[in-house]
Amino acid sequence: MEHALDSPAWAAFRQFVLSLGFSDVAAAPVQPVKRAQAVKDWVAAGHHADMHWYARGLEKRLDPRLVVPEARSIIVLTMPYHPEPVTLAGKKLARYACGDDYHDVILKKLKLCTAWLSERVPDSATRHYVDTGPVLERYWAQESGLGWIGKNGNLISRREGSYLFLASMVTTLRVPYGTPHLDFCGSCRACIDACPTDAIVADGVVDARKCISYLTIEHRGPFEDAPDFSDWLFGCDICQEVCPWPNKFSQPTAEPAFLPREAYGELTEEGLAAMEQADFSATFRKSPIKRTKIAGIQRNLEHLQSKNE
Ligand code: B12
Ligand code: SF4
Ligand code: SF4
């Protein structure tokens, strides 16, 4: 069998992927990353803050053949998350984090996609990733034609907006390719103007050191001179909320695991501040919020309260 998926086989793969709850899939040929210098500059400027793992994995990110030798294609998949505003203990919570952890939910489905490919072409090799792999997911999503990287740094689909998770598959298979997506931001700069911490330092370039999402999720230890988080307790969606694209076109998620948890609405500020480890583990079981650990979420709450005093 040829080491490729022809159009009918790709159509069957697409059908399979959509049946798992992904909303779109497209592919790009493996080529040197055209924006490699922009990524290197991002790291050189220290925009990755304390995410040292990012700098360590840079070579692989810029060359998918270091991930899968003889890789020919990168397949990118999108999965919508809950598009409406959500709260936790009366404070703002990033939409992506209101349900179960997407890494776990999507990985299970990706395994099935990889199995589908290797069953079809047994001597092919495919590796799949969601978020944590050394793959520039937004870049390849744009290259494959799923959408464009907006000035807010997010991948925006004209059909679905940007409240989407991305996942990727690096494969030795040749598959039908999409065409790189055009940029539809035009002269708009609503996200840059709305970011309360001026974290979008150039078009599409986010300085994590200033970004509320980084500070509330990834930063460890106490805050020194942290800005006002505008009531965001975990993550931040401001630069997407003001974007005309997601607001107009977002559809409800079809994945029940990504729906908001009722308990989050019932939790009070006092309840969260006084929460003990066992309660934290039970409340945030399988949730992305457990990433900050109890110390992180209580630190974030204290920070919001100190700014409101
Ligand atoms: C590190 C990281 C972060 C960091 C840094 C964010 C950033 N903007 O880079 C922090 C912790 C701050 C973060 C926050 C968020 N993240 Co994040 N993050 C990542 C991760 C792991 C790597 C991203 C990366 O490589 N950044 C480094 C820079 C250099 O890469 P880049 O932005 O792609 O670089 C491009 C631009 O610089 C661009 N560029 C260069 N010149 C120019 C010029 C113009 C005009 C333009 C437009 C672009 C442009 O070219 C570069 C190459 O493509 C990805 C998963 C992955 N493996 O890709 C998830 C990922 C990007 N995150 C995601 C999400 C959901 C978020 C949040 C929305 C979560 C939240 N609600 O709080 C916020 C959004 C913040 C924002 N405005 O970007 C999703 C995005 C989905 C989507 N639709 O785009 C991803 C893909 C995870 C996933 N698998 O779903 N994240
Ligand atoms: S996520 Fe929030 S803080 Fe980060 S760039 Fe967007 S608006 Fe600014
Ligand atoms: S708010 Fe405007 S500039 Fe920012 S990503 Fe959306 S369309 Fe692009």
Side-chain angles (χ1 to χ4, degrees):
M1 191 183 288
E2 206 206 344
H3 206 70
L5 285 193
D6 58 13
S7 292
W10 176 253
F13 177 66
R14 182 181 171 79
Q15 264 323 104
F16 178 70
V17 160
L18 299 183
S19 76
L20 295 174
F22 291 100
S23 55
D24 210 350
V25 56
V30 165
Q31 285 170 347
V33 170
K34 287 176 238 161
R35 284 174 173 175
Q37 194 53 47
V39 181
K40 287 182 186 165
D41 291 348
W42 191 74
V43 172
H47 289 156
H48 61 310
D50 283 337
M51 295 180 287
H52 302 299
W53 49 267
Y54 193 89
R56 281 197 295 272
L58 199 56
E59 287 307 313
K60 282 190 182 167
R61 260 173 229 276
L62 298 179
D63 185 358
R65 276 160 299 202
L66 297 175
V67 177
V68 173
E70 312 202 8
R72 279 187 181 158
S73 313
I74 299 201
I75 301 171
V76 188
L77 307 94
T78 56
M79 187 171 285
Y81 54 85
H82 183 69
E84 303 299 332
V86 277
T87 57
L88 171 66
K91 302 292 180 193
K92 294 180 178 178
L93 172 65
R95 289 158 172 77
Y96 89 87
C98 70
D100 288 359
D101 193 329
Y102 67 101
H103 300 94
D104 305 334
V105 175
I106 294 180
L107 266 184
K108 278 191 199 133
K109 296 173 190 279
L110 276 178
K111 276 186 194 152
L112 300 175
C113 299
T114 297
W116 195 100
L117 292 180
S118 33
E119 221 164 88
R120 191 85 179 202
V121 188
D123 61 347
S124 61
T126 303
R127 294 191 72 169
H128 54 246
Y129 298 100
V130 51
D131 188 47
T132 54
V135 178
L136 280 174
E137 291 172 337
R138 292 175 292 189
Y139 172 79
W140 292 109
Q142 177 153 9
E143 285 298 296
S144 66
L146 288 172
W148 77 100
I149 300 176
K151 291 179 192 173
N152 63 11
N154 289 291
L155 193 279
I156 306 173
S157 145
R158 285 179 82 185
R159 193 164 55 86
E160 300 185 274
S162 69
Y163 294 136
L164 300 169
F165 295 120
L166 300 179
S168 59
M169 305 173 76
V170 185
T171 180
T172 54
L173 282 169
R174 200 152 35 78
V175 303
Y177 300 126
T179 39
H181 204 289
L182 295 174
D183 182 319
F184 282 90
C185 282
S187 58
C188 175
R189 43 174 288 128
C191 52
I192 298 175
D193 294 340
C195 175
T197 59
D198 295 327
I200 307 174
V201 292
D203 291 1
V205 182
V206 172
D207 183 346
R209 293 169 298 191
K210 295 181 176 178
C211 177
I212 296 167
S213 178
Y214 169 79
L215 292 166
T216 55
I217 302 172
E218 301 294 334
H219 176 75
R220 299 287 170 262
F223 292 130
E224 283 154 32
D225 267 351
D228 190 334
F229 293 163
S230 304
D231 234 26
W232 287 89
L233 179 61
F234 183 94
C236 169
D237 286 332
I238 295 174
C239 54
Q240 297 186 87
E241 286 178 341
V242 298
C243 179
W245 290 97
N247 290 343
K248 266 198 260 175
F249 301 115
S250 291
Q251 299 293 321
T253 177
E255 175 52 65
F258 297 149
L259 292 175
R261 295 183 178 185
E262 256 175 50
Y264 292 179
E266 289 155 15
L267 189 64
T268 61
E269 265 185 61
E270 297 71 30
L272 182 59
M275 196 175 254
E276 302 213 343
Q277 184 58 51
D279 231 3
F280 175 85
S281 304
T283 308
F284 299 113
R285 193 173 162 267
K286 289 188 173 179
S287 149
I289 296 172
K290 64 184 184 316
R291 184 166 173 79
T292 59
K293 308 212 167 29
I294 186 167
I297 199 82
Q298 290 179 336
R299 169 205 63 187
N300 294 349
L301 180 63
E302 270 171 40
H303 186 71
L304 297 189
Q305 290 170 332
S306 74
K307 294 288 175 185
N308 285 340
E309 271 165 12

